[in-house]
Amino acid sequence: MQLKKTSKKREIIYMKLNLSVAIATFALSFVSCSQQDNTPSLKDEWGHKYLIGTAVNQWQVAGETPIETAAILKHFNCVTAENCMKSEVINPQKGVWDFTLADEFVAFAEKNNLTIMGHAPIWHSQQAKWFCFDDNGELVCADTLKQRIHDHIFTVMQRYKGKIKGYDVVNEAIEDDGSYRNSLMYQIMGEEFIDWSFQCAMEADPDAELYYNDYSMWAEGKRNTVCELIKRLKSKNIKIDAIGLQCHYGMDFPEVSAFEESIKAFINEGVRVQFTEFDMSILPNPYTGADVATRFQYTPDKDPYRDGVPADVQAAWNARVKEFIAIIDKYQDKVNRITFWGVTDSSSWKNDFPIPGRKDYALPIDREGNLKDIL
Ligand code: GLA
């Protein structure tokens, strides 16, 4: 009898409990409905025309910067690893490979259905220190470098075969005046290191798209040499699918017409174009390039917006971004994607480049995770 009574009591408690859980769930869903984010997203607005990408870092991938991770998922359908696929990270010493961060990046993208871009197997900067040297500290011969380029490209591209859509196979091999950059790889192999890298890439993963990627693509000399490079690769039956224009821009460079000139020139050579690292500094800049080794001294007059950007300056920035997008739209059937270099203003490299320690506002999403008025 006593037992029966207790179990009846328990039943009533359970019923009450269930009821309150149901009420709480209903209330929560109501709250989350009323807080639903109905603001526009870049991928919803532009995703039918292009892949809309961003460069992500390891903390965003790990979910340690929630505003940034939420912005990735809301605004983008494509990702590039900001650093973790560069050779100094994945192959820091001869024979030592470390894919920990790169694998986490790829897993994050796959879990969230984000198209993945590979960046940048062959680049003179952020290249593993050992790559061009022998054990005595002398530059290696051309045959050894060829072998190393081959092994690097094959190891990376075969690991992610079927997962990564395309690669910036070679990054920044040409100077603005059109000469080849005098990198260690160039000193050892001449411009042939570029052709060889593409040759290896097309064999390593025949289904991956292959890109040449560079900054200041609006410069006439660079434009011409890139066109010659495309011709040369094609004449050797070496695959190149698209040219990546990095697009690290400022308020007074480049001229929009020079930008358009280069788009037209590359398309005329029979490749597609893509905008792979778009950002636009709102600050006064002493330098129009994006060579990561370049730095200038900090002075407060070069850092005018520490407390926020005046409305008219922000409006000018918004209008200039729209101007570039309008040009891109003119060629949309030949454009693969627009990738922004960073997620929000707080994670942009422009806060430290080319002058360290400034507060820049170079990306479409602000520090609070809100989209600026660029649609
Ligand atoms: C270049 C590289 C990128 C990145 C930026 C600066 O544009 O291609 O990988 O290093 O510089 O963040």
Side-chain angles (χ1 to χ4, degrees), residues 38-59:
N38 291 319
T39 56
S41 97
L42 289 174
K43 70 177 175 196
D44 290 346
E45 296 294 322
W46 297 339
H48 60 288
K49 294 183 280 191
Y50 323 110
L51 283 169
I52 305 299
T54 183
V56 306
N57 63 36
Q58 66 194 85
W59 303 280

Side-chain angles (χ1 to χ4, degrees), residues 81-83 86 119-120 123 126 171-172 213 215 246 248 277 290 292 341 349:
E82 187 171 2
N83 285 307
K86 291 173 180 169
H119 176 82
W123 185 28
Q126 293 186 264
N171 198 27
E172 299 178 0
N213 194 53
Y215 62 81
Q246 290 184 3
H248 296 295
E277 305 185 17
V292 291
W341 202 249
W349 75 304

Side-chain angles (χ1 to χ4, degrees), residues 102-175:
D103 285 354
E104 281 169 18
F105 160 74
V106 169
F108 168 82
E110 287 193 312
K111 181 173 154 228
N112 293 297
N113 288 321
L114 302 162
T115 300
I116 310 172
M117 294 296 167
H119 176 82
I122 302 300
W123 185 28
H124 68 281
S125 182
Q126 293 186 264
Q127 183 175 48
K129 293 273 175 290
W130 65 274
F131 200 76
C132 294
F133 293 99
D134 64 19
D135 295 340
N136 302 318
E138 306 287 336
L139 284 185
V140 292
C141 65
D143 280 348
T144 303
L145 182 59
K146 272 182 99 168
Q147 188 64 48
R148 289 183 182 181
I149 289 176
H150 172 278
D151 294 350
H152 186 80
I153 289 178
F154 267 72
T155 306
V156 175
M157 291 184 69
Q158 293 197 331
R159 184 179 187 89
Y160 297 116
K161 212 167 175 341
K163 298 183 176 217
I164 293 192
K165 184 179 169 67
Y167 283 86
D168 297 327
V169 179
V170 176
N171 198 27
E172 299 178 0
I174 300 169
E175 300 280 7

